[in-house]
Amino acid sequence: MNMKNIVKLLVCGLAALCCACSEDDLTGEWSYSGPIPAIKDGPTEADKGCYALYQKYDVHVYWQLEGDAACYTDQGQVSSSGFNAAALPMQAAEEATEKFVKLLTKFFAMLPENLVKQGYYRRHILVKIMPPTYIYTDTEGNTYFCNTYGVNAWVYGAGSGVVYYGYLYNKEDNTGDKFDTNLDGWKWSMAYEFFKGLVDCIDKPVNVPDEFREISKDYYNYELGGSPESSIQGTVFDKVKGGHQGFIHPYAAHASNTKFCDEDWGAMVASILTWDKAELEEIYVTYPLIKAKYDIVKAFFTEQYGLDIEQLANRWRNVTLD
């Protein structure tokens, strides 16, 4: 059983009692101050971009932090227990900085300003090595490019509201600039963390529609416990089995249907926003449960935020770093 989900179950009741916000207020009860360290306007273009994001949205973006400094927040030290060992100690990420800040800026600019300000992750840290513990593949050996790691305080200590981004698989990785070779992967990961965090039900109310949670009931890897019926075996995701169970991505299959399906929700939204439209249409025809989730996501963003998810997808797919 995924450790994150074990802890989520233990704290579910407490979270429901402690949450100090209403269903219409997406800000959590915890406060995030900072920025630590201070964000200054210059001297580099990357610094200027980080400062502009801080001024407009109160998000704290860093690229020069390393070692313990990369794991420190105003709430204390982030535990390293959930990180890829190759990423530790954290290394500063100078090579990819300007492209990262530019892409994050373009992503936020496409969203309503108040929505960005309601985001769960207030602290965004670019490091050199990808922090996720596991790299997933499909049954044909194709790798899912997932280079981010969002930290939840209930699971790993004091790091509530922090997301890490990496751009190399390990210290020996010399495969080049992944902003050039896998820009779509970067787009997917940014969208995944933001929209997953938006509905996180530990520090915020659960506002994923009930009918979304019910679609894949009993099929989540958390529930199946690694049995043959699970679409995930080790780090291999069976797209066909997962598709018939309603999962568009391995991250989606790790969620729990009872109270927590933030990973499923985030993966669904990120895939809608970044994957090829024709590919998605084929998936919807082939896998009715995924299509049902798409319909719920589309209606949710229209009703809650006045956002047309397809228009947003068209814009995000066409973003470049030129």
Side-chain angles (χ1 to χ4, degrees), residues 4 94 108 120 125 129-130 147 176 193 216 262 264 273:
K4 180 175 181 180
E94 299 181 3
F108 287 157
Y120 175 65
I125 302 177
I129 309 299
M130 295 181 191
N147 66 321
E193 294 293 354
S216 294
D262 46 332
D264 192 358
L273 294 182

Side-chain angles (χ1 to χ4, degrees), residues 36 130 166 187 204 279:
I36 299 173
M130 295 181 191
K187 290 180 182 179
K204 297 183 179 184
E279 178 185 358

Side-chain angles (χ1 to χ4, degrees), residues 31 64 119 123 133 203 273 294:
S31 60
Q64 72 277 48
R123 187 174 176 89
T133 304
D203 294 294
L273 294 182
Y294 163 78

Side-chain angles (χ1 to χ4, degrees), residues 49-101:
C50 293
Y51 185 77
L53 289 170
Y54 167 49
Q55 291 294 301
K56 186 171 185 178
Y57 305 114
D58 193 26
V59 295
H60 309 158
V61 182
Y62 297 96
W63 55 271
Q64 72 277 48
L65 301 180
E66 56 187 357
D68 290 343
C71 295
Y72 180 78
T73 77
D74 68 311
Q75 299 175 19
Q77 200 79 7
V78 177
S79 170
S80 62
S81 60
F83 290 115
N84 168 22
L88 301 172
M90 296 287 190
Q91 300 175 63
E94 299 181 3
E95 296 90 339
T97 304
E98 290 190 15
K99 292 179 180 179
F100 167 71
V101 175

Side-chain angles (χ1 to χ4, degrees), residues 25-282:
D25 179 9
L26 292 180
T27 56
E29 69 165 349
W30 58 275
S31 60
Y32 188 90
S33 58
I36 299 173
I39 297 174
K40 300 179 180 179
D41 189 8
T44 70
E45 289 303 313
D47 289 323
K48 293 179 183 295
C50 293
Y51 185 77
L53 289 170
Y54 167 49
Q55 291 294 301
K56 186 171 185 178
Y57 305 114
D58 193 26
V59 295
H60 309 158
V61 182
Y62 297 96
W63 55 271
Q64 72 277 48
L65 301 180
E66 56 187 357
D68 290 343
C71 295
Y72 180 78
T73 77
D74 68 311
Q75 299 175 19
Q77 200 79 7
V78 177
S79 170
S80 62
S81 60
F83 290 115
N84 168 22
L88 301 172
M90 296 287 190
Q91 300 175 63
E94 299 181 3
E95 296 90 339
T97 304
E98 290 190 15
K99 292 179 180 179
F100 167 71
V101 175
K102 182 181 291 187
L103 187 62
L104 190 63
T105 299
K106 289 188 175 186
F107 176 58
F108 287 157
M110 293 194 316
L111 302 173
E113 184 174 336
N114 67 323
L115 185 60
V116 178
K117 290 180 176 179
Q118 292 171 344
Y120 175 65
Y121 295 111
R122 314 307 299 162
R123 187 174 176 89
H124 301 255
I125 302 177
L126 178 68
V127 294
K128 183 169 288 188
I129 309 299
M130 295 181 191
T133 304
Y134 303 109
I135 300 298
Y136 290 97
T137 65
D138 62 21
T139 52
E140 297 175 351
N142 300 305
T143 299
Y144 288 88
F145 183 84
C146 301
N147 66 321
T148 58
Y149 190 91
V151 183
N152 185 302
W154 288 90
V155 181
Y156 292 118
S160 185
V162 183
V163 59
Y164 293 87
Y165 307 75
Y167 62 94
L168 298 177
Y169 285 109
N170 50 53
K171 296 175 183 177
E172 292 73 41
D173 187 353
N174 60 357
T175 53
D177 187 343
K178 292 181 175 63
F179 280 100
D180 291 337
T181 61
N182 207 332
L183 182 59
D184 288 344
W186 274 97
K187 290 180 182 179
W188 192 95
S189 294
M190 282 186 178
Y192 168 73
E193 294 293 354
F194 181 83
F195 288 103
K196 179 193 72 173
L198 195 64
V199 297
D200 186 286
C201 77
I202 293 294
D203 294 294
K204 297 183 179 184
V206 181
N207 62 351
V208 172
D210 290 337
E211 57 268 29
F212 184 94
R213 294 194 219 106
E214 290 298 313
I215 288 174
S216 294
K217 183 178 180 179
D218 300 328
Y219 290 133
Y220 290 101
N221 191 55
Y222 157 77
E223 296 168 305
L224 292 175
S227 72
E229 290 76 25
S230 175
S231 59
I232 296 179
Q233 300 297 324
T235 58
V236 178
F237 176 62
D238 186 328
K239 293 193 296 184
V240 175
K241 183 182 290 184
H244 286 300
Q245 294 173 348
F247 302 126
I248 201 167
H249 188 278
Y251 278 13
H254 267 304
S256 162
N257 80 292
T258 52
K259 290 289 185 182
F260 310 98
C261 56
D262 46 332
E263 296 98 334
D264 192 358
W265 181 267
M268 190 69 213
V269 178
S271 300
I272 293 169
L273 294 182
T274 58
W275 288 6
D276 178 75
K277 177 67 173 176
E279 178 185 358
L280 286 169
E281 291 294 346
E282 184 176 343

